[in-house]
Amino acid sequence: MPKGIFERKRRPAIDRFWERVNKTDTCWLWTGSLRTGYGQFAIKTGKCMQAHRFAYTLLIGAIPPGLDIDHLCRVRHCVNPAHLEAVTRKENIRRGTGRTATLARTTHCPQGHEYTPENTYTHRTCLICRRARALA
């Protein structure tokens, strides 16, 4: 008698994981399902995790509590453990390319004044330039 769909034995997660990895000269690209650019991987029926987190856990070890996995290569669907690093959320955002990261790395205003505690208003506003605008 043939087995029904619910009676089939599922292949090990590790086997299913490696079937969806395309190793290039640099990145190991996830070819399975993506969500917001990150690989998604079903580890159990109804339970998914991000493919890069699975790779890190499998090949490096447990992810320390409170840390994110940063893609050093900036390729979200890369699962190469050499490109993954456990860092704080703050560090992960700082290394990114978004507006928050860009502003955090800015050291001078558009007119060339250095952002120092004495010369900086909230949200990276130069006090010298602000005073000059108020007088104009």
Side-chain angles (χ1 to χ4, degrees):
M1 183 158 103
K3 291 185 176 186
I5 190 166
F6 298 108
E7 296 175 21
R8 278 189 281 166
K9 202 160 190 152
R10 195 165 192 174
R11 291 188 344 269
I14 293 171
D15 295 342
R16 292 183 293 106
F17 175 80
W18 289 116
E19 288 174 357
R20 292 173 177 85
V21 176
N22 176 25
K23 291 183 180 180
T24 68
D25 290 339
T26 55
C27 292
W28 297 0
L29 302 175
W30 180 253
T31 62
S33 174
L34 298 177
R35 183 172 183 189
T36 63
Y38 294 97
Q40 295 293 302
F41 181 60
I43 54 173
K44 292 181 182 176
T45 303
K47 182 156 172 112
C48 289
M49 75 181 299
Q50 293 177 322
H52 66 282
R53 292 178 67 85
F54 183 86
Y56 187 95
T57 304
L58 177 67
L59 301 168
I60 296 175
I63 300 169
L67 296 185
D68 290 347
I69 302 300
D70 183 26
H71 288 86
L72 302 174
C73 60
R74 314 298 340 138
V75 178
R76 289 182 175 184
H77 63 286
C78 176
V79 297
N80 184 342
H83 297 183
L84 305 175
E85 182 180 6
V87 297
T88 63
R89 171 74 43 97
K90 184 176 181 178
E91 179 64 15
N92 197 8
I93 291 170
R94 189 191 66 76
R95 290 177 176 181
T97 57
R99 181 168 166 75
T100 303
T102 303
L103 286 175
R105 288 190 295 268
T106 304
T107 60
H108 291 73
C109 80
Q111 282 67 43
H113 305 121
E114 185 177 8
Y115 286 129
T116 63
E118 300 78 32
N119 183 42
T120 307
Y121 190 65
T122 59
H123 306 296
R124 290 285 204 218
T125 301
C126 173
L127 287 177
I128 296 171
C129 294
R130 186 176 175 171
R131 287 182 192 124
R133 280 193 304 274
L135 294 173

